[in-house]
């Protein structure tokens, strides 16, 4: 067992990070040295990869391996490894922006905290999830910190792609590129780690297209499977203007239900953890003066809910796109595997009744809809114009 076990289908990344850890370990005891590891250690790392590929899991494993004092580093069973993986290590701070953006004030405070020396570990590590949510001013504050890093501070930034980060920051980072994990690797981890039966695991892994936590949800939650099926039913519901408008409403509703399920689960766990930490009594009463902290969490959760809603709708559109991509695959006679194997007969019928050009135009319409949602167009209006376009595309 090691800290790398949960990285699915990312062998080249594991090799890259392992060798960086080994290089950094060379002079771990020379606490006073300006550049531990003979100056080999990069102080800023950029973890990139598609959503669900495990960017932050990779960064967390790297943080654990950097702090671990066992051989090989990142043993996965010492107290330090456990603390990093559970998020309780004193010298590993995890920043997870809950809203749509991360501001300059918070970033400046973070930079200040990150400049202190590690208290127990070998490094002061800051793991910044969704670093692309930093506002421009925040990114500039971050840039200053990365330009002149304190000797024992390591920044781990996570973004979907390198382009999501200011060029000036990117150029100072060692880039770690995760790939979309292959279906077989995701299936394997669902079977091995979550005890899911191989058939269910394979269908879920295929449907999730490399998004690991989405695959787990689809494999374990029948409601999530039902909502996905509703989205995939949309193409056959586009029989007229009325049905197309109703299909749009169904898609938005399915995405909202998906978002609600995701947020409720997160909220409950967070709220109960905070209440306990603040000293909730056995009868569920809170000590005086804790209302502010609870209110702050509530506000954070509300702002996250907005983001999750947006992400869920985007995910639903990607599911819909997978339908037309399957149709295109069949039309082109390509041999690559279908995502939605369970719809095989319907996909074949759709493929036979249209041209590859019209399928491409439909895929374009879906991508255009994703862009307008990104630009804050009202979701129902954007999706309605999509379903109407899908219906009439020649
Ligand atoms: Zn360890």
């Amino acid at each position: 067992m090691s800290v790398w076990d949960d990285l699915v289908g990312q062998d080249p990344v594991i090799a890259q990070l392992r060798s960086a850890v080994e290089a950094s370990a060379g002079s771990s005891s020379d606490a006073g040295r300006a550049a531990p590891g003979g100056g080999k250690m990069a102080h800023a790392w950029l973890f990139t990869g598609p959503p669900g590929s495990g960017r932050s899991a990779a960064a967390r494993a790297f943080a654990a391996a950097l702090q671990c004092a066992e051989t090989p580093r990142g043993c996965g069973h010492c107290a330090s490894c456990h603390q990093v993986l559970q998020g309780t290590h004193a010298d590993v701070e995890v920043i997870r922006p809950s809203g749509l953006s991360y501001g300059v004030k918070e970033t400046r405070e973070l930079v200040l905290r990150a400049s202190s020396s590690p208290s127990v570990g070998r490094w002061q590590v800051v793991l910044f999830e969704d670093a692309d949510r930093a506002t421009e001013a925040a990114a500039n504050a971050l840039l200053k910190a990365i330009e002149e890093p304190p000797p024992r501070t390591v920044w781990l930034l996570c973004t979907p792609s390198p382009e999501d980060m200011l060029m000036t920051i990117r150029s100072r980072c060692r880039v770690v590129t995760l790939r979309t994990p292959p279906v077989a690797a995701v299936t394997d981890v669902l079977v091995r780690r979550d005890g899911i039966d191989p058939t269910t695991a394979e269908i879920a892994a295929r449907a999730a297209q490399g998004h690991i936590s989405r695959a787990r949800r689809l494999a374990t939650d029948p409601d999530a499977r039902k909502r996905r099926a509703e989205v995939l039913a949309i193409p056959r519901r586009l029989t007229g203007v009325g049905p197309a408008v109703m299909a749009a409403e169904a898609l938005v509703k399915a995405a909202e239900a998906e978002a609600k399920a995701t947020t409720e689960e997160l909220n409950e766990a967070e709220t109960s953890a905070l209440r306990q930490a603040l000293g909730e009594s056995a009868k569920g009463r809170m000590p005086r003066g804790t209302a502010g902290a609870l209110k702050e969490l509530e506000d954070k959760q509300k702002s996250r809910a907005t983001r999750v809603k947006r992400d869920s709708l985007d995910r639903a559109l990607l599911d819909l796109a997978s339908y037309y991509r399957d149709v295109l695959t069949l039309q082109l006679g390509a041999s690559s595997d279908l995502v939605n194997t369970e719809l095989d007969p319907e996909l074949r019928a759709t493929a036979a009744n249209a041209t590859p050009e019209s399928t491409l135009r439909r895929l374009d319409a879906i991508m255009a809809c994703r862009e307008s949602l990104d630009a804050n167009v009202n979701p129902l209006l954007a999706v309605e114009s999509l379903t109407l376009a899908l219906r009439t595309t020649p």
Side-chain angles (χ1 to χ4, degrees), residues 16-51:
Q16 178 189 8
L17 296 176
R18 270 203 163 129
S19 71
V21 170
E22 290 312 321
S24 83
S27 61
S28 62
S29 54
D30 307 341
R33 287 256 309 261
K40 284 181 196 143
M41 181 62 189
H43 289 271
W45 294 73
L46 184 57
F47 288 77
T48 72

Side-chain angles (χ1 to χ4, degrees), residues 3 64 67-70 72-82:
V3 293
Q67 303 289 25
C68 178
E70 302 293 318
R73 295 188 190 265
C75 65
H77 48 71
C78 72
S80 168
C81 280
H82 273 288

Side-chain angles (χ1 to χ4, degrees), residues 278-301:
L278 293 174
E280 180 176 24
S281 77
K283 286 182 181 165
R285 294 187 50 174
M286 298 302 298
R288 289 168 74 100
T290 55
L294 284 168
K295 173 79 174 57
E296 195 179 311
L297 178 64
E298 216 175 275
D299 289 345
K300 265 193 182 168
Q301 290 174 337

